[in-house]
Amino acid sequence: MTEPSTPPQHAERPAAHQATEMFEPEAWDERYSGEDDVWSGAPNPQLVTEASKLTPGSALDVGCGEGGDVIWLAQNSWTVTGADFSKNGLARAARHAEAAGVADKTDWWQVDARDLQAQERRYDLVTTHFLHPRDGAMADVVRRLCEAVAPGGHLLVVGHAPPAQAVIPADDPRRKAMLLAEQLLPALSDDFQVLVVEQRPRTVTRDGKTIAIDDSTLLARRL
Ligand SMILES: C[S@@+](CC[C@H](N)C(=O)[O-])C[C@H]1O[C@@H](n2cnc3c(N)ncnc32)[C@H](O)[C@@H]1O
């Protein structure tokens, strides 16, 4: 994800009630209510790598947070809907898009990805980075996102691969929410062609330390 401007919350193990709340919109609204931005505003690297190869059109970014990816897409000729279940996150994202001069290429959708119904919505690119719903719910989210991809369009799903157990224990709910790209393959409908399914290593700096992480990356094209 775009790197935090404050220390990441997974420096300490949460209490049980926090572990439940951290997957819900109230916790994210609180996180996005502080004075400072949570994320850097820089676009996520896998988005830049993959979307740069595509012809711009319409895009949906689910779990858009403060809008770093939405703004990058809009600056690169896409028209973009940023979706998130946090009203505070969306408000911030809209302010950032305005400041970046791309408000006219963006709109916003407050929705819980776990309940998302595409209905008539279709996009040339549906992208989501680091959404991480609890208890393995990402596969169901991917099923829902498939519906929102237009024929010939692309679905890009990026998440954190589980790190070494010493960093986050096996029973930690945040670890259970992490995933490998191949675990999402069964969620793709039959009319998708898989283009990328891999863990992509990169380094990030947190609390002044450089650490290695893997971006679980799934890219598929709807036929
Ligand atoms: C780790 S942040 C990533 C933000 C942004 N994609 C990025 O990479 O910088 C996760 C975002 O997903 C949103 N989110 C988490 N669970 C969600 C859900 N079930 N439905 C919609 N948004 C969700 C949070 O509000 C938060 O903005």
Side-chain angles (χ1 to χ4, degrees):
M1 79 190 60
T2 48
E3 290 313 305
S5 52
T6 53
Q9 288 192 337
H10 44 76
E12 290 175 14
R13 199 174 174 189
H17 73 282
Q18 290 172 319
T20 306
E21 290 164 2
M22 60 191 273
F23 297 102
E24 301 305 325
E26 294 77 13
W28 282 98
D29 273 337
E30 191 179 330
R31 199 169 177 191
Y32 289 133
S33 67
E35 295 229 331
D36 297 330
D37 286 343
V38 176
W39 314 115
S40 70
N44 282 299
Q46 308 316 332
L47 175 78
V48 174
T49 298
E50 297 305 334
S52 297
K53 299 175 199 163
L54 304 176
T55 304
S58 59
L60 171 67
D61 180 18
V62 179
C64 67
E66 295 170 327
D69 286 354
V70 172
I71 290 166
W72 181 86
L73 285 163
Q75 288 170 333
N76 285 274
S77 305
W78 295 80
T79 55
V80 196
T81 298
D84 204 289
F85 65 10
S86 165
K87 63 179 184 322
N88 289 350
L90 289 173
R92 263 188 194 185
R95 284 199 299 276
H96 290 163
E98 182 85 42
V102 294
D104 60 331
K105 304 194 73 179
T106 60
D107 63 12
W108 310 99
W109 182 15
Q110 188 177 356
V111 64
D112 190 323
R114 297 167 293 187
D115 304 324
L116 187 147
Q117 295 193 358
Q119 296 186 325
E120 264 73 70
R121 293 171 182 262
R122 293 291 178 277
Y123 301 88
D124 299 310
L125 172 65
V126 175
T127 174
T128 182
H129 280 71
F130 311 112
L131 190 75
H132 295 296
R134 67 183 305 205
D135 297 335
M138 196 60 197
D140 182 53
V141 168
V142 168
R143 264 181 221 105
R144 293 169 180 275
L145 299 187
C146 284
E147 290 295 312
V149 179
H154 291 77
L155 173 66
L156 175 64
V157 181
V158 179
H160 292 299
Q165 189 142 325
V167 182
I168 305 182
D171 62 346
D172 188 303
R174 293 163 303 176
R175 185 184 190 89
K176 291 187 192 165
M178 295 177 179
L179 50 96
L180 300 175
E182 49 268 36
Q183 292 172 314
L184 299 175
L185 288 176
L188 292 177
S189 40
D190 291 345
D191 55 349
F192 276 81
Q193 174 193 15
V194 176
L195 302 176
V196 174
V197 55
E198 64 192 13
Q199 279 54 251
R200 292 181 169 171
R202 66 182 168 109
T203 55
V204 296
T205 305
R206 287 184 187 151
D207 293 336
K209 284 191 210 142
T210 301
I211 58 169
I213 62 169
D214 285 318
D215 283 347
S216 298
T217 305
L218 174 65
L219 177 69
R221 179 176 174 272
R222 193 170 198 176
L223 303 173

